[in-house]
Amino acid sequence: MIALDTLDTAGVEGLDGLAGRRVAVAMSGGVDSSVVAALAHAAGAEVVGVTLQLYGGGATPSRPGACCAGADIRDARAVADRMGFAHYVIDMEARFQDSVIQHFADSYAAGRTPVPCVECNKTVKFHDLLDLARSLGAEALLTGHYVRRIEGADGPELHRGRDPAKDQSYFLWATTQAQLDYLRFPLGGLEKRRVRSLADTLGLVVANKPDSQDICFVGGGDYAAIVERLHPELAAGGEIVDAAGRVLGRHAGIHQFTVGQRRGLELGGATEPLYVTAIDAEAARVIVGPRTALAVGAAVLEDCNRLGAWAGQVEAKVRSLAALAPAHVEDTTLVFDTPQQGVAPGQAAVLYAGSRVLGGGVIARTRAPLTN
């Protein structure tokens, strides 16, 4: 067994006091969760590795960068075998289908743009897996997410990962305070290259394994095929119209579009570039307009989760790759200091105060900027 004090663990967090205590580690089969499990074992914890089989019936995915099936299960088991701790595989395929994939398809059918990673974290991982960890007698659940859990005056707080290129806080805004009390994120203070270096030092077979893609269950990027399988009526397509309702063309399904999109419209004769400004799911219409029509002054949020006070000035991220936008909150309405573009219903709006995650909500609808 490799002792923790023989490793360069500068920046590793959440391992203090684990010696002799049982902890569960969510193991996807990737390098991040494998390093977390190995570090916890080296710290003297009684580690129970848990891998969720989420889709594919255990079959090995044919593409690189997938996760939570065949080869990943074997990789997680190989890490557990090498380090000498227990490992369990739990079949959650039906739950994942109902809570994540079905929600994904239903959102597109409703003219929204979903964030499936948020749904997975909110349901399968930080609800079902957390309950399972408790049933196994674990005192904490450790994951490989790049976020930080920092003790504040009123209890643990959720903060962005130290490495901005790997920060995953946008996808964890729905984590509740009770869940945060139980969770640990040892990698939040590290850069990815350090994690791979630790994996190499620990002799883990996944040290150079590619990262998983954002939407793990979408093969080859063809998410439309998954949506059409569950909502075949969408393939009938519909009209592309401007703000006045004039028909400019046809589309092959509203699920192939999101607010702010320009590619795929295939409209000729316009005097300026056109973008998707809204989606009318009931009429199967895609509404387009000039770039100026994308400006949003406020977003009404639903299914909100608060991890801190929403009073005063905040910063908001309205897409995973969007820059932080200064804003304030009026009840559940996020009001931007300056108009934002590409704000799509169904996406998450995550609120921050500095590095701290204050929570967030799902964008239900948007409002145009106020005019003088």
Side-chain angles (χ1 to χ4, degrees):
M1 174 176 171
I2 298 176
L4 193 65
D5 58 10
T6 65
L7 301 170
D8 178 9
T9 58
V12 176
E13 302 171 338
L15 298 183
D16 294 341
L18 293 188
R21 299 168 63 189
R22 176 176 290 186
V23 300
V25 180
M27 298 184 68
S28 67
V31 62
D32 300 321
S33 58
S34 296
V35 167
V36 167
L39 288 175
H41 181 68
E46 180 188 350
V47 174
V48 179
V50 181
T51 300
L52 303 181
Q53 180 193 304
L54 299 182
Y55 59 91
T60 304
S62 60
R63 67 193 187 281
C67 74
C68 309
D72 305 288
I73 293 172
R74 290 195 293 274
D75 287 344
R77 182 175 291 120
V79 169
D81 289 345
R82 170 172 172 74
M83 304 303 295
F85 58 78
H87 176 254
Y88 299 98
V89 178
I90 310 298
D91 184 354
M92 297 289 285
E93 188 166 353
R95 170 68 159 150
F96 187 73
Q97 173 68 38
D98 291 342
S99 299
V100 180
I101 299 179
Q102 187 67 54
H103 178 274
F104 178 81
D106 291 349
S107 295
Y108 272 111
R112 292 184 161 204
T113 305
V115 191
C117 292
V118 169
E119 289 303 312
C120 186
N121 289 326
K122 184 167 64 172
T123 58
V124 176
K125 291 182 179 175
F126 286 178
H127 184 274
D128 300 350
L129 178 55
L130 193 142
D131 286 348
L132 175 63
R134 286 199 172 102
S135 73
L136 292 171
E139 298 184 48
L141 174 64
L142 282 60
T143 84
H145 288 100
Y146 286 84
V147 292
R148 303 183 71 202
R149 179 187 182 275
I150 297 177
E151 288 293 337
D154 298 317
E157 301 171 351
L158 184 64
H159 287 250
R160 290 201 300 264
R162 192 179 299 277
D163 182 354
K166 295 300 296 181
D167 169 49
Q168 293 173 296
S169 61
Y170 178 83
F171 302 103
L172 298 182
W173 63 267
T175 304
T176 67
Q177 192 65 54
Q179 292 167 347
L180 193 58
D181 289 341
Y182 190 69
L183 289 162
R184 302 292 185 272
F185 308 108
L187 306 186
L190 302 182
E191 295 181 349
K192 185 62 178 251
R193 58 183 178 82
R194 280 282 319 285
V195 174
R196 291 199 182 277
S197 177
L198 281 167
D200 186 60
T201 300
L202 290 161
L204 304 183
V205 296
V206 295
N208 296 309
K209 186 174 181 177
D211 289 343
S212 60
Q213 63 184 41
D214 287 343
I215 304 179
C216 62
F217 57 88
V218 175
D222 188 11
Y223 75 90
I226 292 175
V227 177
E228 288 177 21
R229 175 170 57 83
L230 296 172
H231 285 279
E233 73 279 4
L234 296 177
E239 297 173 335
I240 301 175
V241 303
D242 63 15
R246 291 186 291 262
V247 177
L248 305 180
R250 288 193 60 82
H251 63 79
I254 60 170
H255 59 300
Q256 301 189 35
F257 298 91
T258 187
V259 170
Q261 181 175 332
R262 181 183 174 190
R263 295 177 58 185
L265 290 171
E266 298 180 356
L267 299 174
T271 58
E272 59 182 322
L274 296 176
Y275 300 81
V276 176
T277 60
I279 297 173
D280 182 346
E282 186 173 351
R285 280 185 159 188
V286 173
I287 298 95
V288 299
R291 187 175 180 83
T292 54
L294 292 174
V296 167
V300 179
L301 307 183
E302 62 185 11
D303 299 330
C304 296
N305 178 54
R306 297 174 187 257
L307 288 173
W310 289 12
Q313 197 75 6
V314 300
E315 291 183 300
K317 184 183 283 284
V318 295
R319 298 181 309 281
S320 62
L321 298 179
L324 290 168
H328 67 276
V329 183
E330 299 174 358
D331 191 16
T332 58
T333 298
L334 182 64
V335 182
F336 302 108
D337 287 8
T338 57
Q340 300 297 303
Q341 295 189 334
V343 183
Q347 291 280 284
V350 182
L351 278 53
Y352 297 86
S355 68
R356 185 182 178 186
V357 180
L358 299 177
V362 177
I363 300 169
R365 57 188 182 277
T366 60
R367 295 198 319 228
L370 297 175
T371 57
N372 296 327

